[in-house]
Amino acid sequence: RLNCAGREVLQRYCAIAGPRLDNDKLYRYSYSAEVGLNRPTGSTRGNTGFRISSDVDISLVWRNPQIQDEQLLRLQISNVQVESAGKRSRKNNIFHGSSAESILGKVKLEALQRPFMVLWKMGKIRSLYAHKAEPATIKNLKRGVASMLMMQLKSGKMSEADASGKCLVEYKATKDQVIRTKHLDTCKTQEMGFTTHSPVLGISGKSTSETVITLENGIIKSADVEETHILSINARQKAAAKVLSRQSLTLKKIEVGPTEVAGKDVASVVKSLDDKHMSVGVMVEKVKTKCKGCPNLMDTWKAVRSQLEPESLSKAEAPRSFLALLHSLRKASKSEILTVLRNCSKTVLPQLVDAVTSAQTPSSHSAILEFLDFSKKEGLVLHERFLYACGFASHPTETMLQSLLDLAQGKIGSTEIKESIVIIMGALLRKLCLKGACELPTVFKVKVMLLAGPDSTQMESEVLMYLLALKNALLPEGVPVLAKYAESEVGAFSTIAITALQRYDPQLITPEVKKTLNRIYHQNKRIYEKNVRAAAADVIMSSSPSYMEVKNLLLSIGHLPHEMNKYMLSKVQDILRFEMPACKLVRQVMKDMVSHNYDRFSKTGSSSAFSGFMARTADVTCTYNLDILYSGSGVLRRSNMNIYGQSNNAFLHGLQVTIEAQGLESLIAATPDEGEEELESFAGMSALLFDVQLRPVTFFKGYSDLMSKMFSISGDPISVVKGLILLTDHSQVIPLQSGLRASAEFQGGLAIDISGGMEFSLWYRESKTSVNNRGALVVIGNVTVDTGFVSAGVEVGFETEATLDFITTVQFSEYPFLVCMQMDKTTFPFRETVSKQEKLPSGQTFSLKRSRDQLVPGSEFPLHQENSNMCKKVFEQAW
């Protein structure tokens, strides 16, 4: 006998060597491969899926005369059965009464039962030989059977390839048992997917794989594999799907088998046995499955277009239809996409542009570029929607960035669109650099262009454009450029540069940059506008400040313009109350009575800074802050609202809406603050959405523009951003050791409408600013195993609709003027769903769907007590 049996010497030799089969023996095994899909918390009885079972005959064909542990094995599958993975009633069992031939088809069944060969060396599968013309699914199933033979007779770790890919594998070997643990996070597979740029909006995966092999006289008596993959949505871990894959190989009996073949090498032996056999690789190959009866792009478009009308964008049907359309677009050709674009009504076309751009396939990108004409002034809305969708792209490519660069260097009919192109190029640059693609030719070219941009032009609008692009790009090399423009004499340059620095990792805010910010705040070189100084203070306090920096900031309170005193005091109190990183140092400085005394900490005014929690769950923490700075005359100077999300130590700047106003004191015969005497009348709004800075919107600029709009104002808010955003986008193929492939698709669509307005009444001596946020979110995760002859899938998801309004009312008929801030969240619905499906080629299907609905009560978010007292006075007077 040449297997590991008998004497101690032989056992010691075989422990060093590998497992071997005997000559002239046929080893008959029973085999099964099962896949089940469900939620992680669901029982296996509720799994949707299927089981393929068969007999497998294994025999030795050839052994290398020089290397006894190199063996060519012949494997043959027979007696195939396909059945449900879970226990089902006869009514719900679509496999009942079906034979393997009726499910697989005669050709595939014959191919599956056709013998194949593996080169087995030291217990590892080195090559697999089969007919190249066999369907990919069949070859994959054979790879799954062959992978059951992977083993070694001594403990240790090594990298090896089987059906599921090349992975780090750990072996624990005893006398009669080998445990093979695969570290699936190390696996390299042949199919690469993509995922969302932000982990907060992304997907987490957890995978395990263990094979327990029992030996008897050195022969595999049994091998059992259990492999699990759990995919969950980071923002809501309950929305998750689980893939459970099991394999079993059990020795039934040993019979007299074929005689060993003589030969010098493997290639000649394989060819002599069957000249159609070729080496086809060990790892699972890609399978192209045709969807029978699936709607084409035009059919999908006709079914969803009514839900994409503008008036429906605040409903969950809009993002749900958007995701359905997205899936269809990703499979469509350029000509199909152009046909839909050219036959779309004007009201729905902007939403279609969102979807086509978000598809991010070569066909969709080429189609949308051909459809849009950037050389014309008309179509500004469509052009902007295309650019915003590029900015929010989940997996941008160098090609997408190159197309924007070509547009920027070509003829553009609108200056606003030119600005948006460059600003969005900054967002794409950041995402590509985070993926490690910073040195690609186009990426490097754009990087150089943006860094040199502010100094390359004398036009104020173009300098602002490049600074906003750098705010998006967050290049480490951009810090010196932004620090330079932070000290600019133009207030708008300073504000953008400083707020851009605030988005950087504190480690990149060097001592030199801090000196610049301190010079600005303390006005060491010249006088700055209040909002510029306030922004500088924010960056200092959030960038690991020193003891002296904090002390000097506190000592400045009492020597600042009236409202700025109150703002800085409120900022310090907010740091302490919300326990921000600088709070320990602030408390340390406040032990000094010179820095912390009643005179300094009793300053009055209406400006404020406040942070709070919007939501705190086990999965995600959502916070907000509101900073309001007024001029000494009571007119709004800056209103800044931020919403942040944090999950698993990842951070997302979800929303920033800033309203700025200046030069309005002449309207109420008031005196401007120091350094703001010559400012032009202006009011505008800027939005940053999901880490992407958008092009600011101007309400009015200049005294004549202000007066014309005051007399024609309707009070209606101005739209800042409106459309459909692909928020979550994750796609991957999970090759299972059984040879089956699980396809995972998780997408989240957001329909959003952010608008803002500013009303100003001289008659009532009142101003009102509003920021209105309306949106609907749908997130769907789908995991499917499709062999072409049977498919099973599970879908999990949730959806909601919400409204968040922020309104600031200022009454300046008397001093101190009254300011009331309101931040309201309306009651909103929340729905969770799970559905399961199995399908056979005959058209037989099993499906099950469940959902759970709830209403989340609305609320008014708490602000500081002073605000509550002020609101009571405002509404008492209004009443």
Side-chain angles (χ1 to χ4, degrees):
R1 289 176 61 87
L2 291 175
N3 61 324
C4 299
R7 290 170 301 186
E8 188 180 345
V9 176
L10 273 177
Q11 287 179 338
R12 193 178 300 119
Y13 169 73
C14 288
I16 298 169
R20 300 174 187 173
L21 294 188
D22 285 339
N23 306 326
D24 308 326
K25 294 286 178 69
L26 177 71
Y27 300 86
R28 183 153 285 171
Y29 288 87
S30 62
Y31 171 75
S32 69
E34 175 187 322
V35 64
L37 307 169
N38 205 344
R39 291 178 301 162
T41 54
S43 68
T44 54
R45 293 187 65 184
N47 282 358
T48 181
F50 53 90
R51 182 187 302 110
I52 300 172
S53 56
S54 68
D55 289 336
V56 176
D57 293 343
I58 306 176
S59 59
L60 177 69
V61 174
W62 170 83
R63 191 189 308 277
N64 190 331
Q66 279 75 42
I67 308 171
Q68 293 289 302
D69 288 303
E70 186 173 73
Q71 305 156 83
L72 184 66
L73 309 183
R74 179 183 184 272
L75 289 82
Q76 184 167 13
I77 297 168
S78 60
N79 301 322
V80 180
Q81 288 184 315
V82 185
E83 56 194 341
S84 176
K87 290 185 178 180
R88 295 266 166 77
S89 64
R90 185 169 175 176
K91 179 184 175 182
N92 291 327
N93 188 353
I94 62 170
F95 298 92
H96 180 76
S98 298
S99 65
E101 186 173 327
S102 67
I103 293 172
L104 277 81
K106 187 177 180 180
V107 174
K108 285 183 179 176
L109 182 59
E110 286 178 356
L112 183 60
Q113 296 185 146
R114 187 179 295 126
F116 62 101
M117 288 178 272
V118 296
L119 180 62
W120 201 37
K121 184 178 180 181
M122 298 289 288
K124 306 300 165 68
I125 304 299
R126 299 302 185 191
S127 297
L128 188 144
Y129 302 91
H131 287 203
K132 193 174 183 180
E134 287 178 354
T137 302
I138 300 303
K139 285 185 281 188
N140 286 343
L141 289 173
K142 290 180 177 180
R143 291 178 174 109
V145 173
S147 295
M148 298 296 283
L149 303 178
M150 294 288 287
M151 62 177 292
Q152 67 182 42
L153 299 176
K154 60 179 180 178
S155 300
K157 289 182 181 181
M158 67 179 299
S159 182
E160 60 186 38
D162 63 13
S164 61
K166 190 172 184 179
C167 317
L168 177 65
V169 177
E170 183 176 355
Y171 285 94
K172 290 183 180 178
T174 57
K175 182 181 177 183
D176 295 318
Q177 189 183 72
V178 176
I179 298 176
R180 180 177 184 253
T181 303
K182 200 185 304 181
H183 298 274
L184 294 172
D185 56 328
T186 66
C187 292
K188 294 178 181 178
T189 63
Q190 294 180 343
E191 293 183 67
M192 299 298 292
F194 53 81
T195 194
T196 303
H197 145 72
S198 169
V200 177
L201 302 171
I203 306 300
S204 291
K206 185 179 179 182
S207 303
T208 61
S209 175
E210 186 175 272
T211 304
V212 178
I213 302 168
T214 304
L215 302 172
E216 188 175 272
N217 297 326
I219 301 299
I220 296 175
K221 183 181 178 183
S222 68
D224 295 287
V225 182
E226 182 161 305
E227 182 179 353
T228 62
H229 299 267
I230 297 174
L231 295 172
S232 55
I233 299 166
N234 289 339
R236 189 166 181 81
Q237 294 282 330
K238 286 182 180 179
K242 178 181 178 180
V243 181
L244 173 62
S245 174
R246 287 173 173 160
Q247 287 173 274
S248 179
L249 185 71
T250 306
L251 181 64
K252 291 167 66 177
K253 57 183 177 179
I254 302 173
E255 300 176 355
V256 175
T259 307
E260 185 180 338
V261 176
K264 290 183 178 180
D265 55 52
V266 176
S268 61
V269 173
V270 171
K271 191 172 183 180
S272 69
L273 293 170
D274 188 338
D275 59 1
K276 290 184 180 179
H277 270 115
M278 297 182 69
S279 179
V280 293
V282 177
M283 291 193 284
V284 162
E285 65 182 272
K286 191 173 182 178
V287 177
K288 292 182 180 179
T289 55
K290 292 183 179 178
C291 184
K292 294 179 182 178
C294 290
N296 59 29
L297 177 59
M298 185 58 79
D299 291 336
T300 304
W301 173 240
K302 288 176 181 177
V304 304
R305 63 186 173 191
S306 60
Q307 281 84 48
L308 297 177
E309 291 286 353
E311 58 270 16
S312 301
L313 285 185
S314 59
K315 302 294 182 186
E317 287 82 0
R320 199 183 307 120
S321 299
F322 168 67
L323 294 181
L325 181 60
L326 186 84
H327 282 287
S328 193
L329 283 163
R330 284 182 167 170
K331 299 171 187 173
S333 65
K334 178 181 176 180
S335 60
E336 288 176 307
I337 296 170
L338 280 170
T339 301
V340 173
L341 283 165
R342 288 165 180 162
N343 290 278
C344 180
S345 65
K346 287 185 178 180
T347 55
V348 189
L349 189 54
Q351 288 73 260
L352 180 57
V353 169
D354 291 338
V356 173
T357 312
S358 299
Q360 300 170 71
T361 65
S363 296
S364 65
H365 191 65
S366 179
I368 196 67
L369 287 173
E370 185 174 318
F371 178 73
L372 298 174
D373 187 351
F374 287 84
S375 64
K376 296 179 180 177
K377 285 188 177 181
E378 299 81 18
L380 186 142
V381 172
L382 298 181
H383 298 157
E384 198 124 71
R385 294 282 277 267
F386 160 75
L387 292 168
Y388 288 170
C390 286
F392 298 126
S394 57
H395 52 286
T397 60
E398 185 185 15
T399 304
M400 180 182 280
L401 183 61
Q402 181 64 56
S403 65
L404 294 192
L405 181 60
D406 293 340
L407 288 173
Q409 294 172 344
K411 183 183 177 184
I412 300 174
S414 163
T415 54
E416 290 94 337
I417 294 303
K418 169 109 187 250
E419 291 169 9
S420 286
I421 290 172
V422 176
I423 292 168
I424 295 303
M425 281 166 67
L428 292 185
L429 183 62
R430 183 189 180 206
K431 290 182 179 181
L432 287 164
C433 283
L434 286 172
K435 283 167 56 179
C438 224
E439 298 307 315
L440 291 175
T442 305
V443 181
F444 185 77
K445 193 186 299 182
V446 171
K447 182 177 168 182
V448 171
M449 181 186 103
L450 296 187
L451 289 170
D455 292 336
S456 68
T457 179
Q458 298 298 315
M459 291 179 64
E460 184 176 318
S461 61
E462 290 190 358
V463 175
L464 289 170
M465 170 185 78
Y466 284 115
L467 290 174
L468 287 167
L470 288 172
K471 185 178 179 180
N472 268 336
L474 293 183
L475 297 166
E477 303 94 322
V479 172
V481 180
L482 294 167
K484 172 188 171 183
Y485 278 87
E487 290 191 281
S488 170
E489 293 182 4
V490 181
F493 294 174
S494 299
T495 304
I496 292 172
I498 294 170
T499 55
L501 289 170
Q502 193 169 15
R503 296 193 66 209
Y504 277 87
D505 186 319
Q507 293 180 348
L508 293 171
I509 306 301
T510 62
E512 284 302 314
V513 176
K514 284 189 179 182
K515 286 179 184 177
T516 301
L517 295 168
N518 279 288
R519 282 197 302 269
I520 293 169
Y521 177 78
H522 295 291
Q523 302 189 122
N524 297 136
K525 287 189 174 180
R526 66 178 191 84
I527 293 172
Y528 290 90
E529 299 168 28
K530 285 193 307 300
N531 59 325
V532 174
R533 296 179 70 190
D538 291 346
V539 182
I540 293 168
M541 292 297 264
S542 62
S543 303
S544 305
S546 67
Y547 179 89
M548 284 309 298
E549 283 174 330
V550 174
K551 184 173 182 177
N552 287 334
L553 285 175
L554 263 64
L555 289 173
S556 71
I557 299 173
H559 304 286
L560 304 169
H562 181 76
E563 281 298 325
M564 194 170 170
N565 274 326
K566 182 66 173 82
Y567 175 83
M568 286 302 299
L569 179 59
S570 188
K571 197 74 181 174
V572 170
Q573 290 169 337
D574 192 43
I575 289 170
L576 294 171
R577 187 188 60 80
F578 207 62
E579 295 190 345
M580 295 180 187
C583 68
K584 288 183 180 179
L585 196 56
V586 171
R587 285 196 178 97
Q588 189 179 342
V589 172
M590 286 173 63
K591 291 177 182 177
D592 176 13
M593 294 304 293
V594 177
S595 304
H596 178 213
N597 54 53
Y598 178 79
D599 178 59
R600 202 177 303 284
F601 274 69
S602 62
K603 301 301 179 185
T604 60
S606 301
S607 299
S608 64
F610 187 86
S611 300
F613 289 99
M614 291 189 76
R616 273 187 284 186
T617 68
D619 306 319
V620 67
T621 300
C622 192
T623 60
Y624 68 91
N625 70 45
L626 295 170
D627 294 350
I628 308 284
L629 178 64
Y630 291 95
S631 67
S633 57
V635 178
L636 175 74
R637 192 66 179 85
R638 186 184 72 173
S639 160
N640 193 16
M641 178 179 78
N642 290 283
I643 296 176
Y644 303 99
Q646 192 167 359
S647 175
N648 295 328
N649 298 318
F651 186 79
L652 174 70
H653 198 164
L655 177 67
Q656 181 186 73
V657 179
T658 304
I659 295 179
E660 292 207 38
Q662 64 181 39
L664 304 182
E665 286 78 9
S666 59
L667 293 175
I668 55 173
T671 304
D673 291 339
E674 182 187 24
E676 300 181 358
E677 297 87 354
E678 304 298 324
L679 292 181
E680 182 182 31
S681 298
F682 167 83
M685 184 173 176
S686 173
L688 182 146
L689 191 60
F690 302 114
D691 278 333
V692 178
Q693 172 70 53
L694 308 179
R695 184 179 62 83
V697 173
T698 300
F699 295 150
F700 57 80
K701 188 173 185 180
Y703 187 77
S704 58
D705 188 25
L706 165 62
M707 296 311 293
S708 66
K709 286 189 176 161
M710 280 189 66
F711 288 110
S712 63
I713 195 164
S714 63
D716 294 332
I718 296 175
S719 178
V720 178
V721 59
K722 187 174 188 175
L724 294 154
I725 299 172
L726 184 59
L727 212 55
T728 298
D729 193 16
H730 178 92
S731 178
Q732 75 176 104
V733 173
I734 304 170
L736 304 173
Q737 187 176 306
S738 62
L740 299 171
R741 299 161 66 255
S743 299
E745 295 280 341
F746 282 73
Q747 275 84 32
L750 176 70
I752 194 165
D753 184 357
I754 300 176
S755 57
M758 185 173 183
E759 298 178 45
F760 198 91
S761 171
L762 290 174
W763 183 263
Y764 293 105
R765 298 183 73 80
E766 180 181 276
S767 71
K768 183 180 284 187
T769 58
S770 63
V771 178
N772 312 111
N773 305 280
R774 282 159 180 67
L777 173 68
V778 174
V779 181
I780 296 172
N782 195 303
V783 180
T784 307
V785 176
D786 189 351
T787 65
F789 55 83
V790 58
S791 69
V794 62
E795 183 177 283
V796 295
F798 61 89
E799 60 185 54
T800 187
E801 301 166 4
T803 299
L804 179 67
D805 293 327
F806 172 51
I807 301 168
T808 306
T809 305
V810 183
Q811 291 183 352
F812 46 87
S813 54
E814 56 185 74
Y815 195 85
F817 42 86
L818 301 177
V819 179
C820 172
M821 294 182 292
Q822 296 166 277
M823 191 169 172
D824 298 330
K825 175 186 71 177
T826 60
T827 297
F828 62 91
F830 185 86
R831 168 180 284 188
E832 291 180 285
T833 59
V834 58
S835 62
K836 303 170 188 176
Q837 189 181 64
E838 293 171 0
K839 190 175 182 181
L840 292 176
S842 60
Q844 287 177 284
T845 59
F846 164 77
S847 61
L848 177 68
K849 186 172 183 177
R850 290 177 182 168
S851 64
R852 186 176 66 178
D853 296 0
Q854 67 181 102
L855 277 177
V856 180
S859 63
E860 184 169 334
F861 290 104
L863 298 173
H864 46 83
Q865 187 59 46
E866 288 178 35
N867 182 68
S868 301
N869 299 336
M870 202 85 80
C871 286
K872 287 177 184 176
K873 291 182 181 179
V874 168
F875 289 119
E876 280 172 8
Q877 291 187 14
W879 179 256

